[in-house]
Amino acid sequence: MDLIVVKNLVKQFGDFTAVNGINFSVKQGESFGLLGPNGAGKSSTMRIIGATSERTSGEVTILGKDPQKFGPQIRAHLGVVPQQDNLDEELTCAENLYIYGRYFGLPKATVRNKLDELLEFAHLLDKKNSKVKSLSGGMKRRLTIARALVSDPDILMLDEPTTGLDPQARHILWDRLFRLKEKGVTLLITTHHMDEAEQLCDRLMVMDKGEIMAEGSPAELIKKYSTKEVLEVRFGSDRNSQMVEKLQSFAERLEELPDRLLLYTESGEDLLAKIVAANVHPNTSLVRRSSLEDVFLRLTGRSLIE
Amino acid sequence: MRTKTAERKVSQTGFRYVVEVRVLNMVKWTRIIIFVAIANPILYLLSIGIGVGSLIDSKDGLGGVEYLTFLAPALLATAAIQGMLDEVIFPTFEGFKWVKNFFAMNSTSLTGSDIAGGVFVAALLRTTFTVVIYWIALYFFGALDSPTAGLAIPAAIFAGASFGALIMALAARAKNEDVFMLITGRLIVMPMFLFSGTFYPLDLMPTFLQWIGWISPLWHATDLGRFLTYGHQISTTTLVFHLIYMFALLIVGLYFAFSNYSKRLAK
């Protein structure tokens, strides 16, 4: 069953078109990602699906209903993690979870019984009675996610869940989200971190300037839009562009970035050997597997984080 | 494994939960709220009521009524309006801009109207508390002189509610909080306080300034309050007009507050 169906969705703010006629659907239990740079239209799409923003045109069905007509009924099934934490800073962790459960109309006793489990999940049990303003960024983020789970949502929507967190905090969060996925919660995630998308998403779409550039599983996208491996070579910033012409014929595809050249190939080591044999000696070289970043670069000619 | 998504009930009275969180927030400031509620009337009554009063009463300028008695209903209504403004303006700024917690509320089954309604009702609770304390202070200062004086409490709250609703509607649209505070504080509340027959009867004012009183909920509440606390004579028409005016302001204010909240959340 498709929990989310979006057809020809358009969202305009005055003259600016944030979302320009996109189509996609998300099945129950699926983990679906919207990947794209800032301003790609991800958050606008999320807010329309979250039944808090009106669309300009197109059709949207969430759990079989139109979010514009059944906002509160649909939102009763959603757990939303916004891009910016909007916790009540003066209240404690427990109070924040409690009032959020009350907003859904859950009985007081029901919410109270859930508090410890949610705090445990967020790794914040020892902060139960601490005010939110005393928490670190990673703690606030985990509390926001725990808060979104208080109503046992059918769909959990996360807008840039780990942006601004340190690597350790990100891995804890990914682990938590992975557990939810295992429980069958449908996840809808926006991100501009390709590693996050690869970790968490069964399927994703790459967005840029309000349009869908490509859609598929991370592996499918990499297979379709990139080669198996990438050879990264650096010649120093002055010489990088001089080497482009020389190396063009060696690789299936070549991308020039300000600090390095990316050579797309099936085998990075073989390619490096060939280059060296042709008497080209880069300052440094690195062979890696293709990632979604390469897919994005191929599709848009730009890198994700600029 | 989840297989079905049963319909979930959505409360039609979701504003209750917003009241709950507002009260939870106020409880964190209990001591300050109580201190302000008590200190405010005492300071006013001592300085203006008794100080200025002794000067005026010696000349008998108010037709036999003590100055403190004359002033009391105006102070009571002013306290109600001020209390209401604090509790609608700051939570509105906080909710839309500073903390954005209204957006968190709106991502649950709560609607813009639930949120506006909750903020308003919570503000009324706080205002009721403030006004009751004020009234008790007036009683102990001997400023109340009628069996109907108790009704001055709802009259003052009524004025606070009607003006508060209007300001809440405007605050929901404000883009710059500092400018908004400057305009409401200096250009609306201050002149209203000075020109609503607060310190002397409105008819002593030059006619070209009396209109400020007529449109000011403070004057309507003060005139009504004087009728209730010491039997100041007003005609039935005037009485009805006071009530209708404040009621109309309340309805219009609430209508725009609810719709402005919803619009700003959907942006």
Side-chain angles (χ1 to χ4, degrees), chain A residues 1 3 11 13 28-29 47 50-54 63 65 71-78 80 84-92 95 98-100 102-106 108 131 147 151-154 182-186, chain B residues 1-12 14 16-29 94-95 97-112 114-115 262-267:
Chain A
M1 183 182 127
L3 291 195
K11 175 70 181 181
F13 296 97
Q28 182 146 29
R47 291 201 60 216
T52 52
S53 167
E54 298 194 342
L63 300 152
K65 292 195 178 81
Q73 287 82 356
I74 290 173
R75 294 199 300 271
H77 294 267
L78 306 180
V80 176
Q84 271 184 313
D85 293 323
N86 46 22
L87 297 158
D88 214 319
E89 302 259 325
E90 294 295 328
L91 302 184
T92 66
E95 286 170 334
Y98 172 80
I99 53 145
Y100 204 75
R102 295 289 288 154
Y103 294 160
F104 282 100
L106 301 177
K108 290 179 183 179
K131 279 193 181 183
R147 186 181 72 169
S151 60
D152 287 321
D154 293 305
E182 284 176 336
K183 277 199 208 163
V185 178
T186 306
Chain B
M1 185 74 189
R2 286 143 195 264
T3 46
K4 63 172 191 269
T5 52
E7 194 81 18
R8 292 184 181 184
K9 263 207 280 180
V10 171
S11 169
Q12 296 303 308
R16 286 180 291 153
Y17 309 121
V18 181
V19 174
E20 213 174 308
V21 69
R22 288 297 313 137
V23 171
L24 201 57
N25 266 289
M26 287 177 202
V27 167
K28 307 265 164 183
W29 304 93
E94 194 179 87
K97 206 165 164 186
W98 296 340
V99 183
K100 297 187 194 290
N101 51 340
F102 286 171
F103 295 94
M105 294 177 187
N106 191 224
S107 65
T108 71
S109 24
L110 296 179
T111 63
D114 289 331
I115 300 169
S262 300
K263 276 185 206 155
R264 185 147 175 193
L265 285 166
K267 246 180 205 167

Side-chain angles (χ1 to χ4, degrees), chain B residues 181-250:
Chain B
M181 291 303 291
L182 207 69
I183 292 174
T184 48
R186 303 276 168 84
L187 298 178
I188 300 179
V189 176
M190 197 58 177
M192 184 171 90
F193 184 50
L194 296 173
F195 295 97
S196 294
T198 318
F199 300 102
Y200 43 87
L202 189 64
D203 23 349
L204 291 186
M205 190 92 67
T207 321
F208 73 96
L209 281 177
Q210 285 188 17
W211 63 271
I212 302 180
W214 299 331
I215 62 165
S216 145
L218 178 57
W219 176 68
H220 292 279
T222 300
D223 205 42
L224 189 61
R226 285 180 181 142
F227 164 71
L228 294 166
T229 56
Y230 67 87
H232 160 66
Q233 292 300 309
I234 55 174
S235 67
T236 315
T237 321
T238 313
L239 176 71
V240 171
F241 182 66
H242 288 328
L243 293 173
I244 289 179
Y245 182 82
M246 289 196 285
F247 188 70
L249 204 59
L250 176 69

Side-chain angles (χ1 to χ4, degrees), chain A residues 136-207:
Chain A
S136 73
M139 290 172 174
K140 285 183 189 171
R141 209 69 193 126
R142 295 205 299 273
L143 186 62
T144 306
I145 293 179
R147 186 181 72 169
L149 296 173
V150 71
S151 60
D152 287 321
D154 293 305
I155 303 173
L156 183 62
M157 302 177 56
L158 305 117
D159 199 353
E160 306 278 352
T162 65
T163 296
L165 297 188
D166 61 48
Q168 197 198 355
R170 298 180 75 198
H171 281 280
I172 296 177
L173 258 181
W174 286 346
D175 170 63
R176 294 301 185 255
L177 293 176
F178 210 80
R179 288 189 206 184
L180 290 173
K181 190 168 135 42
E182 284 176 336
K183 277 199 208 163
V185 178
T186 306
L187 299 179
L188 186 63
I189 302 164
T190 79
T191 182
H192 58 244
H193 297 295
M194 69 231 159
D195 49 347
E196 185 159 274
E198 288 191 51
Q199 286 272 343
L200 295 175
C201 302
D202 302 326
R203 201 155 59 86
L204 53 92
M205 60 184 202
V206 180
M207 278 185 88

Side-chain angles (χ1 to χ4, degrees), chain A:
Chain A
M1 183 182 127
D2 286 337
L3 291 195
I4 301 170
V5 181
V6 173
K7 287 181 186 157
N8 302 317
L9 174 64
V10 174
K11 175 70 181 181
Q12 290 170 328
F13 296 97
D15 292 339
F16 175 69
T17 304
V19 179
N20 194 8
I22 62 171
N23 294 280
F24 68 96
S25 58
V26 180
K27 287 187 176 58
Q28 182 146 29
E30 202 174 16
S31 172
F32 189 80
L34 307 182
L35 184 69
N38 293 328
K42 303 182 306 262
S43 295
S44 299
T45 306
M46 288 289 262
R47 291 201 60 216
I48 290 165
I49 293 172
T52 52
S53 167
E54 298 194 342
R55 59 188 183 266
T56 308
S57 67
E59 278 175 52
V60 177
T61 317
I62 315 296
L63 300 152
K65 292 195 178 81
D66 182 340
Q68 224 143 293
K69 293 188 187 125
F70 297 95
Q73 287 82 356
I74 290 173
R75 294 199 300 271
H77 294 267
L78 306 180
V80 176
V81 178
Q83 205 173 105
Q84 271 184 313
D85 293 323
N86 46 22
L87 297 158
D88 214 319
E89 302 259 325
E90 294 295 328
L91 302 184
T92 66
C93 292
E95 286 170 334
N96 263 281
L97 297 177
Y98 172 80
I99 53 145
Y100 204 75
R102 295 289 288 154
Y103 294 160
F104 282 100
L106 301 177
K108 290 179 183 179
T110 310
V111 190
R112 280 204 194 97
N113 288 335
K114 280 187 162 184
L115 291 182
D116 283 359
E117 187 198 332
L118 288 169
L119 287 165
E120 175 86 67
F121 173 86
H123 230 289
L124 287 171
L125 203 49
D126 55 332
K127 297 279 179 186
K128 186 174 181 178
N129 297 313
S130 306
K131 279 193 181 183
V132 166
K133 63 180 172 189
S134 70
L135 303 184
S136 73
M139 290 172 174
K140 285 183 189 171
R141 209 69 193 126
R142 295 205 299 273
L143 186 62
T144 306
I145 293 179
R147 186 181 72 169
L149 296 173
V150 71
S151 60
D152 287 321
D154 293 305
I155 303 173
L156 183 62
M157 302 177 56
L158 305 117
D159 199 353
E160 306 278 352
T162 65
T163 296
L165 297 188
D166 61 48
Q168 197 198 355
R170 298 180 75 198
H171 281 280
I172 296 177
L173 258 181
W174 286 346
D175 170 63
R176 294 301 185 255
L177 293 176
F178 210 80
R179 288 189 206 184
L180 290 173
K181 190 168 135 42
E182 284 176 336
K183 277 199 208 163
V185 178
T186 306
L187 299 179
L188 186 63
I189 302 164
T190 79
T191 182
H192 58 244
H193 297 295
M194 69 231 159
D195 49 347
E196 185 159 274
E198 288 191 51
Q199 286 272 343
L200 295 175
C201 302
D202 302 326
R203 201 155 59 86
L204 53 92
M205 60 184 202
V206 180
M207 278 185 88
D208 190 36
K209 294 174 183 157
E211 290 177 10
I212 298 176
M213 311 297 292
E215 192 188 322
S217 71
E220 279 168 10
L221 289 174
I222 291 168
K223 198 170 173 192
K224 187 167 177 190
Y225 294 100
S226 194
T227 52
K228 198 173 163 202
E229 292 188 341
V230 187
L231 171 63
E232 297 193 358
V233 287
R234 295 169 194 256
F235 296 93
S237 45
D238 307 334
R239 286 177 61 221
N240 277 343
S241 48
Q242 295 169 21
M243 301 307 289
V244 170
E245 214 174 314
K246 205 166 198 174
L247 293 177
Q248 200 97 51
S249 57
F250 283 89
E252 285 183 35
R253 196 162 62 83
L254 184 147
E255 292 280 354
E256 183 190 351
L257 297 182
D259 61 334
R260 61 194 192 273
L261 302 180
L262 305 181
L263 302 168
Y264 290 91
T265 177
E266 285 309 299
S267 167
E269 292 297 345
D270 290 354
L271 182 60
L272 183 60
K274 276 187 213 162
I275 293 174
V276 174
N279 209 19
V280 174
H281 299 282
N283 296 350
T284 63
S285 62
L286 168 77
V287 174
R288 60 168 175 83
R289 295 173 68 90
S290 272
S291 73
L292 288 171
E293 177 84 19
D294 300 298
V295 172
F296 190 80
L297 197 61
R298 165 80 186 276
L299 290 169
T300 67
R302 291 178 294 120
S303 87
L304 265 170
I305 303 168
E306 288 175 321

